[in-house]
Amino acid sequence: MAPRIIRVLIVDDSALVRQILKQGLEKDPNIQVVGTASDPFQARDEIIKLRPDVLTLDVEMPKMDGVEFLRKLMPQYPIPTVMVSSLTERGQKTTLEAMAAGAVDFVAKPKSNVAGLEDMMDELRTKIKIASTANVSHWKHKQFTPGPGGSGIIAGGAAGGKTVAQSPSLKMVAIGASTGGTEALREVICMFPRTWPGTVVVQHMPAGFTKMFADRLNSLANVVVKEAEDGDQVIDGRVLIAPGGKQLEVIRGAVGWKVRIFDAPLCCGHRPSVEQMMNSVAKNVGNKAVGAMLTGMGADGANGMKAMRDAGARCIAQDEATCVVFGMPKEAFERGGAERLVPLSKIASTLQSFL
């Protein structure tokens, strides 16, 4: 059976960028650019007329930026959307807001060299294919929007002025996520009470974006959330997010555990890699760990979670109905790493029951 042709609408205010994206995308015979739009108002009309499978959307546009457009679009016409983001601080912030508004993924615009453009187009073609399989139907319904401090399984108070006791964790939580994971992580982490055990997270995301992502979560959650630095201790009440472009491993410290951040090749196609992190947790934490695999494409971490389970850890994965992409959780479950599939809203409470 011939592969399905993915119909794409490009939304960008620059005619040159629209042309470059169209030519680059159509190098793949399974991608067809069915139309382009220069602003969100034109895009709305084109969406109704063409019914594309996937949108590419510029983060920063005149008249209405990409975030505001998504907030208006997704409740009416939920369409998998890949953002095209600048690497500026403002661009990074807006990109994360777009992910919160329903975007499936993003690619960062390259610096002005041809090699960078080719790399970006290769990444965009891949992410469009992933996005075409994404489940965004839940945007038709009520969106989860916690206030500052989150809801919390156990009341933890407001997010402001948080302090962390410097006592090493006796248990540890390891979480992996990819496509759709930024919002899944927000929902899960905002349910953690302040007394939650030390947690390490790998979310597939490039360098530069992970610190802003961690800072955003920190402003919402009861626990302290930060981008991991080499040597950071795993302590109660703190979540460490693996930095983009680096690998993270959990190692034994003088007391408890700490993280090692280092340059290394891709593992399972990723840096940071869930596989690398979870293998280290299996080796160095064993049955004192619990793990969760959230939404994402591919199989990164599936064997690492199986290693955790073999070492005595309790592990779960997000169920298909609540995943944006049911790839990584499916592989973790089918390979025996995750003992059961759990809806996103029950991930935190299920992990707590293991702890």
Side-chain angles (χ1 to χ4, degrees):
M1 190 169 70
R4 180 172 70 96
I5 302 299
I6 301 165
R7 304 171 74 253
V8 177
L9 175 68
I10 295 169
V11 186
D12 197 291
D13 62 306
S14 164
L16 176 60
V17 170
R18 294 196 300 273
Q19 181 184 3
I20 289 170
L21 292 180
K22 183 176 190 298
Q23 289 175 347
L25 291 179
E26 291 190 331
K27 286 182 179 179
D28 190 310
N30 297 317
I31 296 175
Q32 177 190 5
V33 176
V34 294
T36 63
S38 59
D39 63 62
F41 297 98
Q42 185 185 0
R44 179 196 57 199
D45 296 339
E46 293 296 293
I47 288 165
I48 294 168
K49 180 173 72 176
L50 299 170
R51 298 288 174 158
D53 300 312
V54 178
L55 294 185
T56 73
L57 181 61
D58 189 17
V59 166
E60 296 167 325
M61 290 183 295
K63 298 185 182 178
M64 183 190 300
D65 69 23
V67 176
E68 188 181 349
F69 177 56
L70 279 177
R71 286 174 180 154
K72 293 177 184 296
L73 173 73
M74 295 302 282
Q76 299 178 64
Y77 300 101
I79 297 173
T81 301
V82 179
M83 305 303 294
V84 180
S85 166
S86 68
L87 285 168
T88 63
E89 185 172 328
R90 181 183 167 203
Q92 291 173 12
K93 180 175 182 291
T94 309
T95 298
L96 291 176
E97 290 172 352
M99 305 288 277
V104 169
D105 213 330
F106 68 93
V107 296
K109 290 178 180 174
K111 295 173 182 174
S112 58
N113 62 66
V114 175
L117 177 61
E118 277 305 309
D119 289 344
M120 188 209 87
M121 289 309 310
D122 187 52
E123 181 183 4
L124 182 58
R125 288 188 290 265
T126 299
K127 289 188 172 180
I128 282 172
K129 290 178 179 179
I130 294 170
S132 73
T133 69
N135 174 16
V136 293
S137 60
H138 61 283
W139 288 98
K140 268 276 192 188
H141 309 293
K142 183 181 176 183
Q143 297 176 24
F144 180 85
T145 51
S151 53
I153 299 171
I154 302 170
K162 291 179 288 191
T163 58
V164 177
Q166 296 299 309
S167 53
S169 296
L170 300 176
K171 295 271 191 175
M172 203 193 82
V173 180
I175 302 176
S178 186
T179 311
T182 55
E183 285 310 289
L185 283 166
R186 178 182 63 82
E187 179 162 346
V188 171
I189 291 171
C190 282
M191 292 183 182
F192 293 171
R194 285 194 181 185
T195 53
W196 191 260
T199 299
V200 292
V201 173
V202 169
Q203 160 70 49
H204 295 158
M205 191 176 275
F209 287 85
T210 40
K211 184 179 187 307
M212 192 164 286
F213 175 55
D215 290 347
R216 175 175 172 262
L217 289 180
N218 188 56
S219 73
L220 297 170
N222 295 302
V223 291
V224 170
V225 185
K226 72 181 291 284
E227 184 184 56
E229 298 174 80
D230 188 49
D232 274 345
Q233 297 287 324
V234 177
I235 55 179
D236 290 346
R238 184 162 76 177
V239 175
L240 299 173
I241 307 285
K246 303 279 187 181
Q247 295 292 10
L248 176 148
E249 288 183 345
V250 175
I251 60 175
R252 293 187 182 94
V255 180
W257 306 285
K258 61 183 181 178
V259 296
R260 175 177 171 243
I261 307 297
F262 58 104
D263 293 312
L266 300 177
C267 175
C268 295
H270 297 282
R271 187 175 48 232
S273 162
V274 183
E275 187 87 354
Q276 188 114 24
M277 179 268 284
M278 287 192 169
N279 275 329
S280 71
V281 171
K283 177 182 176 183
N284 295 310
V285 187
N287 64 6
K288 292 182 172 59
V290 300
M293 191 75 75
L294 305 183
T295 174
M297 187 72 176
D300 183 29
N303 291 333
M305 181 169 273
K306 177 63 165 62
M308 284 180 62
R309 186 92 182 276
D310 291 344
R314 303 290 302 276
C315 299
I316 55 172
Q318 188 178 344
D319 71 354
E320 184 172 10
T322 61
C323 276
V324 173
V325 179
F326 187 53
M328 286 161 53
K330 179 174 184 282
E331 290 295 328
F333 180 68
E334 290 185 348
R335 297 185 195 187
E339 52 196 89
R340 65 179 186 265
L341 299 172
V342 178
L344 181 63
S345 62
K346 303 289 186 187
I347 294 284
S349 59
T350 305
L351 290 174
Q352 188 175 51
S353 73
F354 294 161
L355 293 164

